[in-house]
Amino acid sequence: MTKPSGITVVIPSIPVRAEMLARAVESVTRQTLPADAIVVEIDNGREGAPENRQRGLEKVTTEWVAFLDDDDIMDSTHLATLLATAEEHRADYVWSRFRIGYPDGRFVDGPAPLSQKTFEQWNPDEPAQTTVTTMVRTEMALKCGGFAAF
Protein backbone atom coordinates (compact mmCIF):
# COMPACT_ATOMS: atom_id res chain seq x y z
CA MET A 1 0.00 0.00 0.00
CA THR A 2 1.50 3.34 -1.05
CA LYS A 3 1.17 6.16 1.43
CA PRO A 4 1.16 9.86 0.53
CA SER A 5 4.58 11.48 0.84
CA GLY A 6 5.24 13.46 3.97
CA ILE A 7 6.26 12.91 7.56
CA THR A 8 4.21 12.29 10.69
CA VAL A 9 5.86 12.63 14.10
CA VAL A 10 4.65 10.29 16.86
CA ILE A 11 5.19 11.38 20.47
CA PRO A 12 4.27 9.03 23.35
CA SER A 13 3.59 10.73 26.68
CA ILE A 14 2.03 10.35 30.11
CA PRO A 15 -0.33 12.87 31.76
CA VAL A 16 2.16 14.15 34.37
CA ARG A 17 4.55 15.24 31.61
CA ALA A 18 2.23 17.77 29.97
CA GLU A 19 4.78 20.59 30.18
CA MET A 20 7.52 18.49 28.57
CA LEU A 21 5.08 17.29 25.92
CA ALA A 22 4.17 20.88 25.03
CA ARG A 23 7.88 21.66 24.57
CA ALA A 24 8.37 18.58 22.37
CA VAL A 25 5.35 19.41 20.20
CA GLU A 26 6.50 23.02 19.87
CA SER A 27 9.90 21.82 18.62
CA VAL A 28 8.14 19.83 15.89
CA THR A 29 6.12 22.88 14.83
CA ARG A 30 9.39 24.85 14.35
CA GLN A 31 10.79 22.45 11.74
CA THR A 32 12.18 23.92 8.51
CA LEU A 33 10.52 20.93 6.82
CA PRO A 34 7.10 20.85 8.47
CA ALA A 35 5.63 17.57 9.60
CA ASP A 36 2.31 16.74 7.96
CA ALA A 37 0.90 15.63 11.29
CA ILE A 38 1.80 15.12 14.92
CA VAL A 39 0.31 12.11 16.67
CA VAL A 40 0.42 12.31 20.46
CA GLU A 41 -0.34 9.08 22.28
CA ILE A 42 -1.20 9.71 25.93
CA ASP A 43 -0.54 6.65 28.08
CA ASN A 44 -3.26 6.85 30.71
CA GLY A 45 -2.91 3.18 31.62
CA ARG A 46 0.89 3.31 32.11
CA GLU A 47 1.39 0.67 29.40
CA GLY A 48 4.76 2.05 28.37
CA ALA A 49 6.34 3.87 25.46
CA PRO A 50 6.57 0.91 23.03
CA GLU A 51 2.82 0.29 23.19
CA ASN A 52 2.12 3.98 22.70
CA ARG A 53 4.57 4.25 19.82
CA GLN A 54 2.82 1.28 18.21
CA ARG A 55 -0.63 2.86 18.59
CA GLY A 56 0.73 6.07 17.11
CA LEU A 57 2.40 4.21 14.24
CA GLU A 58 -0.89 2.52 13.36
CA LYS A 59 -2.50 5.98 12.88
CA VAL A 60 0.15 7.29 10.45
CA THR A 61 -0.97 7.90 6.87
CA THR A 62 2.23 9.48 5.48
CA GLU A 63 5.19 7.81 3.75
CA TRP A 64 7.51 8.54 6.67
CA VAL A 65 7.10 8.37 10.44
CA ALA A 66 9.46 9.95 12.93
CA PHE A 67 9.48 9.32 16.66
CA LEU A 68 10.22 11.75 19.47
CA ASP A 69 10.05 11.19 23.22
CA ASP A 70 8.12 13.78 25.19
CA ASP A 71 11.21 14.80 27.18
CA ASP A 72 13.23 15.53 24.02
CA ILE A 73 13.11 18.30 21.45
CA MET A 74 14.10 18.42 17.78
CA ASP A 75 16.52 20.96 16.36
CA SER A 76 14.68 23.02 13.75
CA THR A 77 16.41 21.19 10.86
CA HIS A 78 15.97 17.69 12.28
CA LEU A 79 13.30 16.37 9.89
CA ALA A 80 14.90 18.04 6.85
CA THR A 81 18.27 16.49 7.73
CA LEU A 82 16.80 13.01 8.25
CA LEU A 83 14.85 13.14 4.98
CA ALA A 84 17.85 14.44 3.00
CA THR A 85 19.99 11.65 4.46
CA ALA A 86 17.37 9.01 3.62
CA GLU A 87 17.12 10.30 0.06
CA GLU A 88 20.91 10.59 -0.41
CA HIS A 89 21.54 7.04 0.77
CA ARG A 90 18.28 5.55 -0.49
CA ALA A 91 17.60 4.46 3.06
CA ASP A 92 14.33 3.33 4.57
CA TYR A 93 15.47 3.98 8.15
CA VAL A 94 17.60 6.83 9.49
CA TRP A 95 18.48 8.12 12.92
CA SER A 96 20.42 10.94 14.47
CA ARG A 97 22.88 11.37 17.23
CA PHE A 98 21.80 13.56 20.07
CA ARG A 99 22.99 16.64 21.88
CA ILE A 100 22.57 17.31 25.58
CA GLY A 101 21.24 20.78 26.40
CA TYR A 102 21.98 22.38 29.74
CA PRO A 103 20.00 25.12 31.54
CA ASP A 104 22.87 27.58 31.00
CA GLY A 105 22.41 27.21 27.22
CA ARG A 106 25.39 24.94 26.53
CA PHE A 107 25.02 21.94 24.24
CA VAL A 108 27.30 18.90 24.28
CA ASP A 109 27.26 16.24 21.57
CA GLY A 110 26.22 12.76 22.63
CA PRO A 111 28.70 9.88 22.94
CA ALA A 112 31.41 9.18 20.40
CA PRO A 113 30.30 8.09 16.93
CA LEU A 114 28.55 4.78 16.72
CA SER A 115 30.68 1.70 16.19
CA GLN A 116 31.09 0.03 12.81
CA LYS A 117 28.69 -2.77 13.78
CA THR A 118 25.91 -0.18 13.85
CA PHE A 119 26.14 -0.04 10.05
CA GLU A 120 26.32 -3.78 9.48
CA GLN A 121 23.47 -6.24 9.00
CA TRP A 122 21.44 -6.67 12.21
CA ASN A 123 22.86 -9.36 14.47
CA PRO A 124 20.66 -10.26 17.46
CA ASP A 125 23.68 -11.69 19.27
CA GLU A 126 25.46 -8.32 19.10
CA PRO A 127 22.76 -5.65 18.82
CA ALA A 128 23.62 -2.04 18.11
CA GLN A 129 21.41 0.70 19.47
CA THR A 130 20.30 3.91 17.87
CA THR A 131 18.53 6.88 19.38
CA VAL A 132 14.74 6.95 19.66
CA THR A 133 14.59 9.97 17.34
CA THR A 134 14.38 7.84 14.23
CA MET A 135 12.60 8.19 10.93
CA VAL A 136 11.42 5.16 8.99
CA ARG A 137 9.21 4.48 6.01
CA THR A 138 5.82 3.83 7.58
CA GLU A 139 5.07 0.84 5.37
CA MET A 140 8.35 -0.81 6.42
CA ALA A 141 7.77 -0.15 10.11
CA LEU A 142 4.33 -1.72 9.93
CA LYS A 143 5.58 -4.67 7.88
CA CYS A 144 8.29 -5.36 10.47
CA GLY A 145 5.74 -5.32 13.28
CA GLY A 146 6.69 -1.89 14.59
CA PHE A 147 6.93 -1.89 18.35
CA ALA A 148 4.48 -4.76 18.86
CA ALA A 149 7.32 -7.22 19.42
CA PHE A 150 8.64 -5.31 22.44
Side-chain angles (χ1 to χ4, degrees), residues 16-37:
V16 297
R17 294 170 77 141
E19 189 173 311
M20 286 188 272
L21 174 60
R23 190 182 67 158
V25 168
E26 197 265 331
S27 78
V28 177
T29 65
R30 288 186 287 107
Q31 294 298 297
T32 57
L33 175 66
D36 291 81

Side-chain angles (χ1 to χ4, degrees), residues 12-77:
S13 190
I14 56 176
V16 297
R17 294 170 77 141
E19 189 173 311
M20 286 188 272
L21 174 60
R23 190 182 67 158
V25 168
E26 197 265 331
S27 78
V28 177
T29 65
R30 288 186 287 107
Q31 294 298 297
T32 57
L33 175 66
D36 291 81
I38 302 170
V39 174
V40 176
E41 280 300 315
I42 302 295
D43 184 0
N44 289 307
R46 304 286 274 179
E47 296 171 294
E51 289 83 357
N52 283 280
R53 286 188 192 104
Q54 181 66 27
R55 279 199 304 274
L57 171 61
E58 291 169 0
K59 294 177 182 176
V60 174
T61 61
T62 55
E63 179 180 9
W64 293 96
V65 58
F67 295 92
L68 178 66
D69 281 352
D70 64 359
D71 62 343
D72 292 332
I73 59 173
M74 292 180 172
D75 286 340
S76 62
T77 59

Side-chain angles (χ1 to χ4, degrees), residues 43-145:
D43 184 0
N44 289 307
R46 304 286 274 179
E47 296 171 294
E51 289 83 357
N52 283 280
R53 286 188 192 104
Q54 181 66 27
R55 279 199 304 274
L57 171 61
E58 291 169 0
K59 294 177 182 176
V60 174
T61 61
T62 55
E63 179 180 9
W64 293 96
V65 58
F67 295 92
L68 178 66
D69 281 352
D70 64 359
D71 62 343
D72 292 332
I73 59 173
M74 292 180 172
D75 286 340
S76 62
T77 59
H78 185 78
L79 293 177
T81 301
L82 289 179
L83 185 59
T85 301
E87 289 172 347
E88 177 184 349
H89 297 281
R90 302 170 111 188
D92 295 319
Y93 173 82
V94 290
W95 70 94
S96 64
R97 293 195 47 221
F98 61 91
R99 295 184 308 143
I100 302 168
Y102 292 92
D104 65 6
R106 290 179 303 122
F107 285 94
V108 176
D109 286 340
L114 301 169
S115 69
Q116 180 58 38
K117 73 178 183 176
T118 302
F119 303 99
E120 295 173 358
Q121 182 65 34
W122 176 258
N123 178 351
D125 296 327
E126 292 185 46
Q129 289 186 301
T130 63
T131 61
V132 170
T133 42
T134 61
M135 188 173 79
V136 61
R137 286 190 195 275
T138 304
E139 187 173 348
M140 176 181 277
L142 291 167
K143 185 176 180 179
C144 293

